[in-house]
Amino acid sequence: MIILGIETSCDETAVALLKDGKEELVSLVSSQVDLHQKYGGVVPELASRRHLEVLVPMIKEALIRGGLDFKDLDAIAVTRGPGLVGALLVGMETAKALSIALGIPLLGVHHIAGHIYAAFLENEVSLPALALVVSGGHTELIEVQEGESFRLLGTTRDDAAGETLDKIARFLGLPYPGGPQIDRLSKKGDPLFHKFPIGETENPLDFSFSGLKTSAIYFVEGLKKKGETVPLEDVCASFQEAVVGSLIQKTRRAVKKCSFKRVIVCGGVAANSSLRERMKELSSKLKFELFIPSIHLCTDNALMIARAGYALFKKGITLSLQDDVDPNLSLYD
Ligand code: KG4
Ligand code: ZN
């Protein structure tokens, strides 16, 4: 059973071929970082146009690399939402065209479900489990139950974790996307250089990063006003410490509150070396099984979309041609 996965929700065009829900045949990711870097963030119109240019050649390339033909495909999984509407449409229209031409099912995947299912590519994960999804657009604690069912336990009241890292990196003059830059510089800095605040919220499992962002900006501006040099590596390490500290604190609360035995950490920010390290420590302390996908499966890719599509396929949940993309698609019932 071979599924073609397609992901075009934001600034990565990704195509993958997955066999029997677990075997990676091909995974191609074309990043648009070069295109958006000079604007310091994703420009939706440019993103759609680039997806349009590269998607079909990438699908052909994937088939060649996998030694397969279009007729070997059994289903097509595509990100239906959330994301940028124009970008999503490029993936969806291509997937629909292939689905009609080949007479095979079309599977509409929620991008966050994709990130969660990335963990299932490398491991058998028993459910229920807690998932911490941390990406450029999402920071959510989700209870994942048997049967494609998701329950939201906590979310961000303002910015997402990745968005916060990207904004501060931009403020510090670092290239886009800032998360990996902050990760890299933090390794040489002192996380205890300055204590930035962890945002508290009414729901103890929610997140808030806007106060932290403002506090970092004031702190750096203050140093500059006093004529002091800004120790970039120390500022990055302290700031990263606060973001990671908040993710760890809320995850600990959720595990304790609901007695989770398994935790999945996924999404682009799960590539962060400090978060990976600290989660491992937490898992041995609280004695839960930890699943963090390999780094190339944390950031946006199409294998995770194909894997989530496989779960839908097994349940017989397919899209019709009338179904459309939904930039605000909800994961919850
Ligand atoms: O999941 P993803 O690739 O795309 C979205 O769905 O948003 O996540 C992208 C986010 C960006 O904010 C990026 O800065 C962050 O993941 N990121 C990292 C690291 N690698 C990517 N953040 C911290 N440390 C990293 N190593
Ligand atoms: Zn993502």
Side-chain angles (χ1 to χ4, degrees):
M1 145 105 218
I2 292 170
I3 296 185
L4 168 69
I6 297 176
E7 156 64 39
T8 63
S9 67
C10 191
D11 60 345
E12 251 108 30
T13 319
V15 169
L17 293 167
L18 182 71
K19 190 175 174 191
D20 299 332
K22 52 180 183 290
E23 191 187 330
E24 167 179 347
L25 298 181
V26 181
S27 179
L28 304 177
V29 180
S30 167
S31 166
Q32 301 185 354
V33 163
D34 58 326
L35 192 63
H36 304 290
Q37 207 155 38
K38 62 174 178 283
Y39 303 100
V42 179
V43 183
E45 182 58 29
L46 295 181
S48 315
R49 261 192 257 165
R50 178 65 74 81
H51 287 310
L52 206 50
E53 280 162 26
V54 302
L55 181 58
V56 172
M58 281 175 73
I59 294 172
K60 289 183 183 159
E61 173 72 21
L63 289 169
I64 291 169
R65 289 203 198 180
L68 297 171
D69 193 80
F70 279 111
K71 66 176 179 345
D72 297 317
L73 302 177
D74 295 295
I76 300 173
V78 63
T79 306
R80 190 181 180 196
L84 303 169
V85 66
L88 288 165
L89 274 169
V90 175
M92 180 59 83
E93 295 312 310
T94 307
K96 277 185 181 172
L98 282 173
S99 160
I100 302 170
L102 302 171
I104 56 176
L106 180 64
L107 310 160
V109 173
H110 191 288
H111 185 78
I112 296 303
H115 276 300
I116 293 171
Y117 273 102
F120 292 66
L121 285 162
E122 297 172 309
N123 290 286
E124 299 281 331
V125 186
S126 308
L127 297 176
L130 172 70
L132 170 68
V133 183
V134 264
S135 71
H138 296 266
T139 308
E140 283 163 30
L141 280 166
I142 299 167
E143 180 175 1
V144 186
Q145 291 150 343
E146 207 61 71
E148 198 69 18
S149 166
F150 303 93
R151 187 165 72 96
L152 184 65
L153 302 178
T155 186
T156 179
R157 308 309 307 173
D158 37 62
D159 292 350
E163 186 183 4
T164 311
L165 289 164
D166 292 343
K167 282 181 179 168
I168 286 301
R170 187 179 176 185
F171 167 73
L172 292 171
L174 300 169
Y176 172 85
Q181 304 291 336
I182 291 188
D183 191 357
R184 182 177 57 81
L185 289 166
S186 295
K187 287 183 182 141
K188 294 179 235 155
D190 177 8
L192 302 177
F193 169 71
H194 182 79
K195 195 166 167 43
F196 289 112
I198 290 184
E200 268 309 337
T201 48
E202 203 179 313
N203 170 4
L205 300 185
D206 277 348
F207 303 86
S208 170
F209 294 107
S210 66
L212 168 61
K213 188 182 65 191
T214 311
S215 148
I217 292 172
Y218 276 121
F219 178 71
V220 172
E221 293 291 3
L223 286 181
K224 284 185 187 162
K225 267 194 200 124
K226 282 189 264 169
E228 291 179 27
T229 47
V230 178
L232 195 57
E233 290 156 353
D234 292 336
V235 170
C236 284
S238 303
F239 184 70
Q240 176 177 279
E241 172 69 18
V243 173
V244 170
S246 159
L247 299 173
I248 294 287
Q249 183 191 66
K250 309 299 166 89
T251 304
R252 182 197 292 117
R253 283 182 191 165
V255 169
K256 285 194 163 172
K257 184 169 180 231
C258 306
S259 306
F260 284 109
K261 297 273 173 287
R262 288 160 290 270
V263 176
I264 296 165
V265 182
C266 57
V269 181
N272 183 268
S273 52
S274 167
L275 180 62
R276 296 173 86 88
E277 211 41 58
R278 297 273 295 277
M279 274 295 170
K280 272 185 211 152
E281 287 165 21
L282 189 68
S283 89
S284 43
K285 215 184 248 168
L286 298 190
K287 305 206 182 329
F288 58 77
E289 230 184 319
L290 178 65
F291 303 95
I292 312 184
S294 302
I295 288 178
H296 73 287
L297 296 173
C298 286
T299 45
D300 285 349
N301 65 88
L303 273 179
M304 68 185 201
I305 301 303
R307 180 59 185 82
Y310 179 72
L312 292 172
F313 181 82
K314 281 200 297 184
K315 288 187 73 189
I317 303 173
T318 58
L319 288 187
S320 78
L321 293 180
Q322 282 73 45
D323 292 320
D324 220 333
V325 297
D326 182 350
N328 302 309
L329 188 65
S330 172
L331 186 59
Y332 313 104
D333 310 326

